[in-house]
Amino acid sequence: MASPLSMTSYALLSLLVIDSDNQDGLTGYELKQRADFTLRFYWVSPAMSQIYTELDRLRSHAYVSTEEEASGRRPTRRFRITSAGRTALTTWLHEPTDDFPVLKHPVALRLMLGAMMGADEVAAMLDRYEEALVERRRELEAVREMLGDRESVAYAARVADWGLTFFDAEATAIERTRDSL
C-alpha cells in the first residue's frame, strides 16, 4: 500500500522526533532552520512553503498536533509529533526499501561535456568545486562536533560521519579526475 506521505513529510516527522525533548514543539520556521542545518547535507532542505504544506498534510492525518500562541500580529503555530505520527514514522522505518539515491551532480554533468570546455577550464571548475567542498565539509564537521558522543543523537552523528566520508570520496574523485587531465 502506498504511503499517503511524501519523503519530506517523513523528514519533518524525523526532525520533530529528534527534537521531541522540546515540550513546546517547533514552528515551521524552526523546522526550516533545523532542515537547513542538518538535512541539507544528505537530503534536499525543503522550502518554507513546502514545509507548511507538509505540516498541514501531517495534521490532516493527525500525525502532528498544533498549538497556537499569540505573538505579534498573527498567531504562531507550534507542531509536535503525535503518537499516531510516531507509529507512522516507525512503520515507514521498518518497511524494506530498494530505493537507490538519485545523484544530481552539476559538476559531473559538466564534466561529461568537458571536451567542449577544454582541460584548463575543467581544471578550474574542479578547483572551484574543491574549494566549495572543503567549506561544506567544514560546516558538516561543525555539526558533527556539536552532536558529540551523546547517546540521544548517536544515529544523527552516524549520518554526519557518513556525510564526511562522502565528502572525502568526492575529494578523491576530484583528485583522480584532475590527475587524468
Side-chain angles (χ1 to χ4, degrees), residues 4 45 63-64 79 103 105-106 118 132 136 140-141 143 153 160-161 179:
S45 182
Y63 293 161
V64 297
F79 298 86
L103 180 61
H105 202 306
R136 183 62 57 92
L140 184 53
E141 283 175 334
V143 170
V153 292
D161 290 337
D179 289 348

Side-chain angles (χ1 to χ4, degrees), residues 144-156:
R144 178 59 182 97
E145 188 174 309
M146 180 207 64
L147 292 169
D149 294 327
R150 294 175 296 157
E151 187 60 34
S152 63
V153 292
Y155 284 95

Side-chain angles (χ1 to χ4, degrees), residues 41-116:
F41 291 106
Y42 56 90
W43 191 257
V44 175
S45 182
M48 281 302 304
S49 59
Q50 188 179 13
I51 286 175
Y52 284 112
T53 298
E54 296 300 325
L55 286 170
D56 286 342
R57 178 177 292 129
L58 291 168
R59 199 169 110 213
S60 74
H61 290 288
Y63 293 161
V64 297
S65 62
T66 59
E67 191 171 306
E68 288 193 10
E69 59 183 41
S71 64
R73 288 186 274 174
R74 59 180 199 203
T76 299
R77 291 190 303 167
R78 294 193 159 278
F79 298 86
R80 282 188 299 279
I81 191 167
T82 63
S83 59
R86 282 181 182 272
T87 299
L89 186 59
T90 300
T91 299
W92 172 74
L93 284 171
H94 292 285
E95 291 173 354
T97 182
D98 296 329
D99 294 345
F100 195 81
V102 175
L103 180 61
K104 294 181 178 181
H105 202 306
V107 173
L109 182 60
R110 284 183 166 88
L111 181 61
M112 183 175 73
L113 300 170
M116 295 175 69

Side-chain angles (χ1 to χ4, degrees), residues 105 107 122-138 167-179:
H105 202 306
V107 173
V122 168
M125 175 186 68
L126 292 173
D127 290 344
R128 287 189 305 275
Y129 179 52
E130 185 174 42
E131 289 171 17
L133 182 66
V134 166
E135 179 57 30
R136 183 62 57 92
R137 190 182 196 294
R138 192 174 301 124
F167 288 159
D168 293 343
E170 284 287 281
T172 299
I174 291 168
E175 181 181 330
R176 287 180 180 169
T177 302
R178 189 181 292 118
D179 289 348

